[in-house]
Amino acid sequence: MAGPARFVVQLHDATTLHFDLRLEVDGVLRSWAVPKGLSLDPRDRRLAVPVPDHELAHGDFEGVLPDAPRGSGAVIVWDHGLFRPLGDGPVAAALDAGHAAVRLDGIKLAGGWALTRVATGADPRWIVVKMRDEHADPGRDIVAERPESVVSGRTIAELATRRGP
Ligand code: MN
């Protein structure tokens, strides 16, 4: 069984404000842009658009990215910690097959989430759904409740040094 690997959720003020979910897999950060962020409610199906792998070091990045076409380019580390694949086999194979369940052990997020590919081709899409476990909590909106960085305590607005149009 594979040991724990890192996960990070960054909040990124780019063309649109979105979260980036990143999982350490085989030495890179497999990444999805999640517009609404992860939910604690197992009834919520959150869109997750796959984006290119990032280097592991990017998972520690908090600051303002240069050359943002819109938005401030600000990034905060919204949550981070370790994750383990749930189920058999390596998470890389599960992701390649289009369905992976992972258990997150972060500061804000804990418990199982399922990632499922729902569209391939030119407009690939996944959904990410909270699994029904002891950490599911439909009554809480963790995104609204905890907007701040787990590293610095700052919000993305406090971090941004300039504003896009
Ligand atoms: Mn992003």
Side-chain angles (χ1 to χ4, degrees), residues 12 14 18-20 22 33 51:
H12 181 195
H18 63 275
F19 293 83
D20 288 298
R22 309 191 195 277
V51 296

Side-chain angles (χ1 to χ4, degrees), residues 21-58:
L21 169 64
R22 309 191 195 277
L23 302 177
E24 178 188 354
V25 179
D26 295 341
V28 297
L29 293 173
R30 298 280 292 263
S31 298
W32 296 259
V34 184
K36 293 183 177 177
L38 276 67
S39 173
L40 303 182
D41 185 345
R43 296 169 299 187
D44 285 343
R45 294 161 55 90
R46 293 284 165 92
L47 173 65
V49 177
V51 296
D53 295 343
H54 280 57
E55 294 180 12
L56 294 180
H58 187 73

Side-chain angles (χ1 to χ4, degrees), residues 7 39 51 61 76 82 102 158:
F7 86 94
S39 173
V51 296
F61 180 80
I76 62 170
L82 299 177
V102 294
E158 289 166 345

Side-chain angles (χ1 to χ4, degrees), residues 10-20 22 33-35 58 61-78 155-165:
Q10 285 159 312
L11 180 57
H12 181 195
D13 183 16
T15 302
T16 58
L17 185 66
H18 63 275
F19 293 83
D20 288 298
R22 309 191 195 277
V34 184
H58 187 73
F61 180 80
E62 180 165 299
V64 180
L65 293 167
D67 303 325
R70 291 171 56 196
S72 67
V75 176
I76 62 170
V77 177
W78 184 81
T155 65
I156 200 154
E158 289 166 345
L159 187 88
T161 57
R162 62 186 172 88
R163 290 286 181 186

